[in-house]
Amino acid sequence: MGRIIIQEETEKFPISLIGKEAGVCWGGNTRDQAKNYKRGLGCIKDGHGRTMEYPQIYMILDGYSARVIRELYTHIAGGPTRLQASTRYIDYESGFDYITPPSISKDPETEKVYRDAMAGILENLQKLEAMGVPREDNALLLPLGMTTKVVLRTNLRNLADMSHQRLCTRAYWEYREMMKDIIDALVAYGENEGENEWKKASELLFMPKCDVTGFCTESKCCGRRPKKED
């Protein structure tokens, strides 16, 4: 499965930063870190979403499928930005890595069909390469299941909103796993820094949307929460 690398440019004390920036507007004492932290918690609990755009998160998403990264781009808005590994530099001699869904890997027969298809793609890529077709054109054969690497810069508010959609039990399985990996990586990043503010922020903000609303908003409900009455 993939892995998340939180880069050192990421804010280590997101809640305190929120409180500091909010304190400037409120005329508060922004030199007192304890007050900044308390003020930041208040902003999160009161739903002052704009303040949550200040903590920036820089991370590398490595080993997830091109399909799930394609879905990630639906959450790119405003400040967040990203870079993705080019398909021009894939080494066809070594082959390409890809994701195998559990629904396929659980059965040897379906797994063989899947792996044979991937092997066939690689074989034809190698043939086209040998025939002199430009690699950027060969890349059109590459499957959505191929793994890729992305450098993503986002912020706490955007990531919280993403979690509401992608921790839902009806979200695509790989995206749910990636979302959990991101949360785990941020919590680990906040360790050994005194108060682990990323752990606290994740507890307050990262959850499926039914936990935010108290009811399910989906037309096809999984039953985890009751649907809202009409």
Side-chain angles (χ1 to χ4, degrees):
M1 195 56 186
R3 62 173 181 154
I4 304 294
I5 302 169
I6 305 299
Q7 297 175 288
E8 62 182 7
E9 292 84 1
T10 299
E11 173 59 45
K12 289 187 178 295
F13 303 100
I15 299 175
S16 295
L17 177 61
I18 288 171
K20 179 181 177 181
E21 302 299 348
V24 173
C25 296
W26 300 348
N29 179 3
T30 58
R31 295 183 180 182
D32 188 322
Q33 285 298 92
K35 289 184 177 179
N36 286 339
Y37 179 75
K38 183 178 180 180
R39 193 183 299 116
L41 278 178
C43 287
I44 291 175
K45 292 178 179 179
D46 290 346
H48 295 171
R50 192 65 176 271
T51 64
M52 292 186 286
E53 295 177 10
Y54 284 95
Q56 296 292 301
I57 303 158
Y58 292 76
M59 56 183 161
I60 298 170
L61 287 63
D62 187 15
Y64 299 94
S65 72
R67 172 182 175 174
V68 84
I69 296 303
R70 181 174 176 269
E71 292 189 21
L72 170 72
Y73 291 164
T74 66
H75 293 278
I76 301 297
T81 189
R82 80 284 182 193
L83 298 170
Q84 183 172 358
S86 173
T87 55
R88 178 177 291 181
Y89 304 111
I90 292 175
D91 181 3
Y92 293 155
E93 293 182 7
S94 302
F96 54 85
D97 293 326
Y98 54 87
I99 295 293
T100 304
S103 62
I104 291 177
S105 62
K106 70 180 182 180
D107 185 295
E109 292 185 8
T110 56
E111 185 172 28
K112 183 179 185 306
V113 172
Y114 188 79
R115 295 194 180 282
D116 285 350
M118 292 296 185
I121 290 172
L122 176 60
E123 181 181 355
N124 285 301
L125 284 169
Q126 293 170 338
K127 287 180 179 179
L128 291 172
E129 178 93 347
M131 295 167 71
V133 177
R135 186 162 290 192
E136 56 263 37
D137 293 335
N138 294 342
L140 292 174
L141 280 179
L142 290 168
L144 282 175
M146 177 194 71
T147 61
T148 187
K149 183 182 291 187
V150 172
V151 181
L152 175 67
R153 189 204 73 206
T154 185
N155 61 62
L156 180 56
R157 185 183 194 181
N158 182 257
L159 204 58
D161 179 73
M162 189 192 304
S163 77
H164 300 163
Q165 301 295 327
R166 302 301 180 168
L167 290 178
C168 173
T169 56
R170 297 195 66 245
Y172 184 57
W173 69 270
E174 189 186 1
Y175 211 131
R176 288 202 311 271
E177 292 300 315
M178 186 175 74
M179 192 72 239
K180 293 173 184 176
D181 290 345
I182 291 172
I183 294 169
D184 290 344
L186 283 170
V187 171
Y189 180 76
E191 290 178 354
N192 305 317
E193 298 293 344
E195 176 76 24
N196 189 335
E197 295 192 15
W198 278 113
K199 184 175 186 296
K200 185 65 175 179
S202 71
E203 293 170 351
L204 292 171
L205 293 169
F206 301 149
M207 62 190 74
K209 58 187 174 183
C210 63
D211 283 355
V212 178
T213 61
F215 55 85
C216 179
T217 62
E218 294 284 327
S219 58
K220 295 182 180 178
C221 181
C222 74
R224 185 175 181 273
R225 292 268 189 175
K227 283 186 63 63
K228 183 181 180 182
E229 295 182 3
D230 294 331

